[in-house]
Amino acid sequence: MRITELLDINSIDLNPQVSNKEEAINHLVDLLDQSGKLNDKEIYKESVLNREAQSTTGIGDGVAIPHGQSEGVKTAGLSAMVVKEGLDFKSLDGQPTYLFFMIGAPKDSGGAHLQALAQLSTLLMEEDFRNALINASSKEEFLQLIDAKENKKEEVKEIVHPAVLAVTACPTGIAHTFMAAKALEQAGEKLNISIKVETNGQEGVKNQLTQDDIDHCTCIIVAADKKVEMQRFEAKKVIQVPVRDGISKAEELVQKANNGDGEIYHHDTKKEKQNIIRLFYKHLMNGISHALPFLVASGVLYGILYLVKDQVLSNQSLTLINYVQQLITIMIIPIVSAYIADSIADRPAMVSGFAGGLIVCQGISMSSISANSTSLLAGIVAGFLAGFVSLILKKLFSYLPQCLKGIEASLFHPVLSTVIVLFVMIYLNGYLYIAHSYILQYVSLVESQMSTKILFGFVLGMMMAIDNGGPINKTAYVFGIGMLISYDYYPMAAVMAGGMIPPFVIALTATLSKNRFSNRKDALMNYINGISFISEGAIPFIQQESTVILPACCLAAGLAGALSMYFECSITSPHGGLFLIWMVNNPLYYLALIVLSTVVGTLLLFIFTKLKNNVK
């Protein structure tokens, strides 16, 4: 059922004389009664007030949708009014309400009022549409706006084959993935271009593109910083960009894709055409992203065992947990190596990548040098070695007779590539351990002197805020992970503190200055992003005014990293944010430095804004 079928022109008032919530509800009930939808307005009004007593129907963003289902309703209907100066309706966001819709449904109508509520909520999500309704000059225009909006929604639903397809994926599969998907979908709606977006997140592939979708689309946008399944796009036009571009350049990408500006994709040759630095980053992040769940599980289990370390040997259950934690830890480097190799040369390379990683984590070396500790550096080398060996073997095996093609992938390739990688890594492992040792010695030297230790923390924290999930951010993050694997837990705490600051600064700024951001509700959601160590939540707001907001966030994040190192805070998990505060060494100092850095960052933001305005 359409909203325009429920809303009568006689039940609309664009200039009501109401001054509070009670008067607003009374007037909406009267409007509904005037349209002939009620048979007893007092009974209906009682159902509305009962619903309002449970929780406010002021849903925020200047909208309220009071509703009720009772015997007092003859037929389902709507009333609407606009209070241009705003009214305190006790909304969820605490802001004035301008746009009111009241839903009336008969007692025996099932979920009719819920369907109407869902339809209204969907239509009113867009700020431009809400503003158009608020500024409507007549009741006829008010109805026409709703009718046009509903027609547009129906047209989109009727599209069988979207013109543009997209895939979004980031190494952690949490924030960038879904922010890029949302930005691309909104861009498609704004440009009136049909689009379908597949997300490759932590929960797997969602809204997966079908072969039918791919066959009929104009172009495909791949906004990803890790490997996604690309063979399915053979001979189709594809635009490949970092996932950040899916957020910041969504409209540009959707427009280009709709115009068919992508390059024809050929799976065997496409990798050669990409920027070598971006290619390295993408392969590395594919390995790190698959290892993250292992790192988190290992770190959390270690934290639990550390709390009860005196009981581990005497308690059978704790002994078992300790054994499992050690097994998970052993798996980290082989997983990194295997998925780097997989990103380079697909599935045939995984076996040799995994084997090379096992050589690293077991410290096996043919040289006189003993590799007696696990090295992320060596694991990365093993992954790239396995990938490129597999690429070379693929080329060589292409000359095999056709009769041997059937056993190439199942026998020749995995066995030969594994043997080559094993021998090379057994030889290299000792030398890579020397390089790894030098890095650890340098970090230990830095951490031994307080001044350099603080500077080190400041640099790590600032790197986390410079591009919030981009290459610089991920460089600091991967370094922190490398130190975790080497049992140095201090850099990771500095990295995590720095990554939490940008969203906290945005959220606190929105709390103190209600008009600072147009989408204040999303800005306030950054409290959750900050607690969760999802720095990407700050990106849309930083992009609005990067010359002011970015320096404030960077300096504050640097301060958080520096203080974390100064107070010797450490953590054994690479993710989790403040949800894992119980695992942090010196947790009270850690909380205090995050709060202090957030306040400093917010003050800097206000100061920089004022300086910029004075210059203007």
Side-chain angles (χ1 to χ4, degrees):
M1 184 176 289
R2 292 163 59 90
I3 298 302
T4 46
E5 293 174 8
L6 298 171
L7 184 59
D8 189 279
I9 197 166
N10 296 318
S11 59
I12 301 172
D13 191 348
L14 302 182
N15 190 30
Q17 301 301 310
V18 295
S19 59
N20 55 49
K21 182 173 182 176
E22 183 180 357
E23 290 180 6
I25 290 175
N26 288 338
H27 191 61
L28 286 165
V29 171
D30 289 339
L31 288 171
L32 202 56
D33 190 39
Q34 288 173 21
S35 64
K37 304 291 185 181
L38 306 181
N39 53 37
D40 191 321
K41 71 175 187 179
E42 292 302 323
I43 293 177
Y44 168 67
K45 178 182 171 183
E46 184 180 354
S47 69
V48 173
L49 294 175
N50 287 339
R51 170 60 187 86
E52 207 66 34
Q54 296 174 24
S55 65
T56 181
T57 53
I59 61 175
D61 293 324
V63 177
I65 312 179
H67 51 274
Q69 184 177 25
S70 76
E71 304 87 6
V73 181
K74 188 188 304 180
T75 56
L78 284 169
S79 61
M81 70 179 187
V82 174
V83 180
K84 296 187 185 297
E85 66 274 15
L87 180 76
D88 182 8
F89 201 78
K90 311 300 181 187
S91 292
L92 293 172
D93 60 1
Q95 300 301 303
T97 303
Y98 305 90
L99 194 57
F100 299 81
F101 285 90
M102 177 171 277
I103 304 171
K107 185 70 173 178
D108 57 352
S109 63
H113 68 299
L114 296 178
Q115 294 175 20
L117 183 61
Q119 284 178 259
L120 266 175
S121 300
T122 302
L123 288 176
L124 296 171
M125 285 178 65
E126 293 181 20
E127 185 178 2
D128 290 344
F129 178 62
R130 296 195 302 268
N131 290 336
L133 290 177
I134 292 169
N135 296 315
S137 57
S138 67
K139 297 179 182 180
E140 289 78 10
E141 183 186 350
F142 191 89
L143 277 173
Q144 286 170 4
L145 286 166
I146 296 174
D147 187 51
K149 187 68 174 175
E150 287 190 300
N151 288 338
K152 183 179 177 183
K153 290 285 183 183
E154 287 179 358
E155 287 172 11
V156 172
K157 287 180 182 177
E158 289 171 2
I159 294 171
V160 178
H161 300 119
V164 175
L165 302 179
V167 181
T168 62
C170 67
T172 53
I174 300 173
H176 267 89
T177 300
F178 300 101
M179 289 173 67
K182 182 179 178 182
L184 290 167
E185 287 169 350
Q186 289 177 340
E189 188 167 349
K190 182 176 180 180
L191 297 170
N192 200 24
I193 296 171
S194 57
I195 183 171
K196 178 179 178 180
V197 185
E198 172 186 297
T199 56
N200 284 236
Q202 279 282 32
E203 296 180 355
V205 175
K206 301 292 183 184
N207 201 31
Q208 188 166 19
L209 306 180
T210 66
Q211 192 58 52
D212 195 38
D213 292 329
I214 296 166
D215 291 341
H216 291 88
C217 74
T218 303
C219 186
I220 302 146
I221 301 166
V222 179
D225 284 339
K226 70 172 187 176
K227 182 188 175 185
V228 297
E229 194 64 40
M230 294 294 293
Q231 293 98 319
R232 53 189 167 154
F233 304 143
E234 181 69 31
K236 297 295 294 186
K237 287 188 175 181
V238 176
I239 299 173
Q240 293 195 62
V241 295
V243 70
R244 282 173 58 85
D245 286 359
I247 302 170
S248 60
K249 301 177 181 178
E251 286 189 31
E252 178 187 336
L253 290 171
V254 173
Q255 190 65 68
K256 280 185 176 180
N258 191 56
N259 295 337
D261 291 344
E263 296 181 13
I264 299 295
Y265 179 82
H266 295 295
H267 185 64
D268 292 336
T269 61
K270 186 65 181 177
K271 287 173 181 166
E272 298 172 6
K273 299 178 182 178
Q274 294 186 37
N275 178 283
I276 190 168
I277 296 175
R278 168 156 167 70
L279 208 55
F280 172 82
Y281 173 74
K282 187 175 179 180
H283 297 326
L284 175 60
M285 287 301 106
N286 194 63
I288 296 296
S289 67
H290 283 88
L292 269 180
F294 291 82
L295 279 159
V296 172
S298 173
V300 171
L301 289 176
Y302 180 85
I304 293 170
L305 292 167
Y306 184 79
L307 292 175
V308 291
K309 55 187 175 183
D310 295 334
Q311 304 174 39
V312 171
L313 296 177
S314 59
N315 187 297
Q316 189 173 0
S317 297
L318 292 176
T319 302
L320 179 61
I321 292 173
N322 183 45
Y323 180 64
V324 170
Q325 189 269 335
Q326 291 176 21
L327 287 177
I328 293 173
T329 304
I330 289 171
M331 292 295 293
I332 293 171
I333 294 296
I335 290 293
V336 171
S337 303
Y339 280 98
I340 288 175
D342 171 58
S343 181
I344 296 169
D346 299 319
R347 294 290 174 83
M350 288 190 72
V351 176
S352 55
F354 199 87
L358 285 173
I359 292 293
V360 172
C361 68
Q362 293 299 313
I364 301 172
S365 174
M366 287 180 61
S367 67
S368 58
I369 306 157
S370 174
N372 55 18
S373 74
T374 300
S375 165
L376 179 61
L377 173 63
I380 292 170
V381 170
F384 278 96
L385 172 66
F388 289 117
V389 165
S390 287
L391 286 180
I392 294 169
L393 289 177
K394 271 187 181 181
K395 186 68 175 176
L396 294 175
F397 287 146
S398 65
Y399 299 107
L400 283 174
Q402 193 62 37
C403 61
L404 295 177
K405 291 287 185 182
I407 58 173
E408 171 203 331
S410 60
L411 180 61
F412 293 161
H413 195 134
V415 171
L416 190 55
S417 63
T418 300
V419 169
I420 293 171
V421 170
L422 285 178
F423 275 108
V424 174
M425 283 309 301
I426 288 172
Y427 176 75
L428 288 179
N429 202 25
Y431 298 101
L432 290 171
Y433 172 68
I434 292 177
H436 172 71
S437 299
Y438 277 128
I439 294 171
L440 289 182
Q441 287 173 15
Y442 179 75
V443 173
S444 297
L445 180 64
V446 167
E447 291 180 353
S448 66
Q449 301 176 15
M450 186 55 70
S451 58
T452 54
K453 186 176 182 178
I454 293 172
L455 180 61
F456 184 42
F458 183 85
V459 171
L460 286 175
M462 182 175 277
M463 287 176 71
M464 290 300 293
I466 286 176
D467 54 0
N468 294 290
I472 298 174
N473 170 286
K474 286 296 185 286
T475 299
Y477 188 55
V478 171
F479 176 79
I481 288 173
M483 291 297 99
L484 270 186
I485 294 171
S486 301
Y487 304 104
D488 183 352
Y489 306 128
Y490 298 107
M492 193 71 240
V495 163
M496 194 176 291
M500 287 189 278
I501 296 304
F504 277 143
V505 168
I506 297 297
L508 183 57
T509 302
T511 301
L512 298 176
S513 179
K514 294 181 179 180
N515 300 320
R516 187 63 176 79
F517 303 112
S518 56
N519 45 347
R520 183 169 182 262
K521 189 174 181 180
D522 289 343
L524 292 173
M525 282 298 294
N526 272 292
Y527 280 120
I528 304 300
N529 289 328
I531 291 170
S532 307
F533 182 43
I534 300 176
S535 54
E536 293 90 334
I539 292 174
F541 303 93
I542 292 175
Q543 288 175 342
Q544 292 175 18
E545 207 173 350
S546 59
T547 56
V548 169
I549 301 175
L550 186 59
C553 289
C554 286
L555 291 172
L559 175 63
L563 291 175
S564 176
M565 295 296 276
Y566 177 77
F567 289 116
E568 297 187 337
C569 298
S570 63
I571 189 168
T572 59
S573 173
H575 220 290
L578 294 183
F579 288 108
L580 297 182
I581 189 65
W582 55 274
M583 289 178 58
V584 176
N585 182 47
N586 296 324
L588 294 180
Y589 283 122
Y590 201 64
L591 281 173
L593 69 87
I594 288 172
V595 172
L596 175 63
S597 300
T598 300
V599 172
V600 169
T602 305
L603 290 174
L604 287 173
L605 196 156
F606 283 122
I607 292 169
F608 293 161
T609 301
K610 189 172 182 180
L611 289 173
K612 183 180 178 181
N613 292 336
N614 289 339
V615 170
K616 288 181 178 179

